[in-house]
Amino acid sequence: MQRITYRVKVSAQGAKRRISYLLRPAKRSLNTKSNLVPSVKVARFNKSKKMVQVSSIALLSLPARSLTPMDVPIPAYDQVMLDKTLTIAAVPGDSTYFATDGFQHGFGYDLVRSYADELGVSIDLKAYASEEAALNALKSGDADMALTTASTELKNQLALPSVIVSCGYDSSLTKNGLNPKVSWTFNNANDPLAKGASSFLCDNIKINNTQKLAAFYNQKLLKDAYSQQHFQQTLTEKLPDYQTQFQQQAQNYNHDWELLVAMGYQESHLDANAVSPTGVRGIMMLTNSTAKAMGVSDRVDPYQSIGGGARYLEQVKADFADVPESERIWFALAGYNMGPNAVKRIQRKLREQGIDDKSWANVYAYLSDNRASNSRYGQCMHYVSNIRSYLETIKTYSV
């Protein structure tokens, strides 16, 4: 088809009318299931609008039939800010995101959520069975960005630019069993959404925090033969004796029963008669004071022990009711391990530094940075990350 080159000169008033038309809300509906966050600052939107207004006086090389405002694509960034939703095409995996039985999190997912928080928008995550399907969804406009481990070759074939989340520090991912090719892919490298992502991920402080987040999502815990065998044997031989108690007590206190199992394995390897040198006892390894506070008269009684642990976890979760639900479980587990007040002191210190204290990634980074001066921090890090790993394994039946 013959292409015709036009030089278009638009008056300031005409440009305003045109941009106002272009930036009208798209038909794509909001994700009503997402937890909405405060509205986007008007200044950020106005800045993007001015950028588009300036670009309206340009040399266009388009097919004659395309010279209508309807055919001019709206930058993904502008659409995201209008919808107040960042739509992600993602492929589930150890390095991207985990979403089974309502338990949604993951290394790549947490990074995306941090970026969405900075933009002031919510996330609408769409799952795809393959890297190619996710990238094609992005290319067709069904998503604003893609979270995958796709090869450079595949992304080049589709002419899609991307940002590797490690920003060149691949070893920080590989040593934790994560795929170094985890990337965010976009339709246009010049789109403010893509440029902002690159700046966000490759900031020196963010690179450091990304490496710590990779440590939390370490995938090597149950990879060696001994650990796998022990975990599988424990679940096969011991869990059937206690499964009903776990399920009943989880229902009593509104918990995921498999989370309680993961905690029980971390605490005692599901040994009802376990006793530690410090005097904690039973499947959930309750201290004497905690047992009394939770109404447990016999710590080695499986039903009472599981119930005491479940009740205490419920109380700790309530202490972090202001933390987003998707992150609350990590705060609750940290509070269960070293006390909720210890976690709240960390949160207060983060707030004083102007850091989001309701982000588990930030709390975990603080624990990592200060564990040399406080041994409880290191213990807490391992406690929470181990339970995360056990829970994922139980839910995916990969033992």
Side-chain angles (χ1 to χ4, degrees):
M1 177 178 178
Q2 182 179 2
R3 300 175 72 88
I4 305 174
T5 300
Y6 294 84
R7 184 177 299 276
V8 180
K9 185 174 182 181
V10 184
S11 67
Q13 183 177 0
K16 289 183 180 179
R17 288 197 300 270
R18 182 182 177 208
I19 299 306
S20 175
Y21 180 74
L22 292 177
L23 297 182
R24 64 181 184 178
K27 294 181 179 180
R28 189 172 67 200
S29 60
L30 292 175
N31 175 25
T32 56
K33 296 182 180 180
S34 299
N35 293 323
L36 295 180
V37 296
S39 300
V40 183
K41 293 182 178 179
V42 176
R44 190 191 297 267
F45 172 78
N46 287 338
K47 180 179 179 181
S48 299
K49 184 174 179 180
K50 290 178 181 178
M51 291 172 62
V52 181
Q53 287 178 331
V54 171
S55 65
S56 65
I57 303 176
L59 183 65
L60 305 179
S61 180
L62 301 169
R65 63 183 178 85
S66 298
L67 292 174
T68 63
M70 290 296 293
D71 288 329
V72 178
I74 298 176
Y77 174 83
D78 291 335
Q79 190 68 64
V80 167
M81 303 312 282
L82 284 169
D83 289 350
K84 298 195 172 45
T85 303
L86 179 63
T87 303
I88 313 296
V91 180
D94 289 346
S95 305
T96 50
Y97 83 100
F98 182 94
T100 300
D101 193 25
F103 189 55
Q104 190 175 70
H105 63 279
F107 173 67
Y109 177 80
D110 281 9
L111 289 174
V112 170
R113 187 169 55 206
S114 294
Y115 185 42
D117 287 344
E118 181 169 284
L119 294 175
V121 301
S122 59
I123 290 178
D124 179 10
L125 189 144
K126 298 180 178 180
Y128 293 86
S130 69
E131 314 283 4
E132 186 172 6
L135 294 178
N136 280 324
L138 169 67
K139 197 169 184 67
S140 65
D142 290 334
D144 304 306
M145 61 180 278
L147 169 63
T148 72
T149 56
S151 66
T152 301
E153 180 182 7
L154 177 57
K155 289 180 286 189
N156 287 342
Q157 287 176 359
L158 295 171
L160 294 172
S162 66
V163 181
I164 302 297
V165 301
S166 69
C167 290
Y169 293 88
D170 293 358
S171 61
S172 64
L173 273 61
T174 55
K175 72 179 182 182
N176 289 298
L178 297 170
N179 192 322
K181 294 182 180 178
V182 182
S183 62
W184 295 355
T185 307
F186 304 88
N187 265 317
N188 188 336
N190 293 319
D191 192 293
L193 189 68
K195 289 184 175 181
S198 179
S199 299
F200 174 81
L201 287 170
C202 298
D203 171 81
N204 287 335
I205 295 177
K206 191 62 183 179
I207 289 174
N208 189 34
N209 288 344
T210 296
Q211 294 172 356
K212 292 166 186 168
L213 186 65
F216 173 66
Y217 281 107
N218 190 313
Q219 299 295 313
K220 292 185 175 182
L221 184 60
L222 290 174
K223 295 301 183 183
D224 65 279
Y226 174 79
S227 297
Q228 283 189 10
Q229 182 180 3
H230 187 274
F231 189 65
Q232 183 175 23
Q233 185 176 357
T234 300
L235 293 186
T236 301
E237 296 179 358
K238 294 185 177 181
L239 180 57
D241 295 335
Y242 309 125
Q243 182 167 334
T244 299
Q245 288 98 314
F246 275 114
Q247 291 173 330
Q248 289 176 349
Q249 294 289 28
Q251 185 174 10
N252 290 340
Y253 297 102
N254 193 31
H255 294 307
D256 179 342
W257 74 273
E258 290 171 320
L259 171 62
L260 296 182
V261 172
M263 292 175 65
Y265 184 81
Q266 169 66 24
E267 295 285 1
S268 69
H269 290 175
L270 303 186
D271 182 358
N273 297 308
V275 181
S276 82
T278 58
V280 295
R281 305 185 67 180
I283 286 181
M284 304 303 279
M285 298 297 273
L286 301 176
T287 64
N288 194 38
S289 59
T290 299
K292 288 182 179 179
M294 297 300 109
V296 174
S297 59
D298 184 356
R299 288 184 288 167
V300 298
D301 176 82
Y303 187 78
Q304 288 194 48
S305 180
I306 295 169
R311 183 179 178 185
Y312 183 52
L313 181 64
E314 179 192 38
Q315 290 186 6
V316 177
K317 282 178 67 177
D319 287 331
F320 298 101
D322 59 337
V323 173
E325 187 176 359
S326 56
E327 307 235 10
R328 194 177 305 154
I329 186 58
W330 312 135
F331 282 79
L333 289 172
Y336 187 99
N337 176 254
M338 65 178 185
N341 288 333
V343 179
K344 287 185 175 295
R345 282 194 292 271
I346 293 174
Q347 288 184 284
R348 185 169 60 251
K349 291 177 180 178
L350 292 176
R351 285 197 303 272
E352 290 171 353
Q353 299 174 40
I355 300 173
D356 181 8
D357 67 307
K358 297 179 180 59
S359 163
W360 172 248
N362 292 338
V363 172
Y364 187 86
Y366 183 93
L367 293 171
S368 179
D369 289 340
N370 296 277
R371 59 182 168 176
S373 60
N374 191 328
S375 61
R376 295 177 65 199
Y377 290 173
Q379 294 169 5
C380 182
M381 290 169 60
H382 292 302
Y383 183 84
V384 181
S385 59
N386 285 358
I387 291 176
R388 175 203 57 76
S389 183
Y390 298 146
L391 180 57
E392 289 178 0
T393 305
I394 292 170
K395 286 186 173 296
T396 54
Y397 305 99
S398 60
V399 294

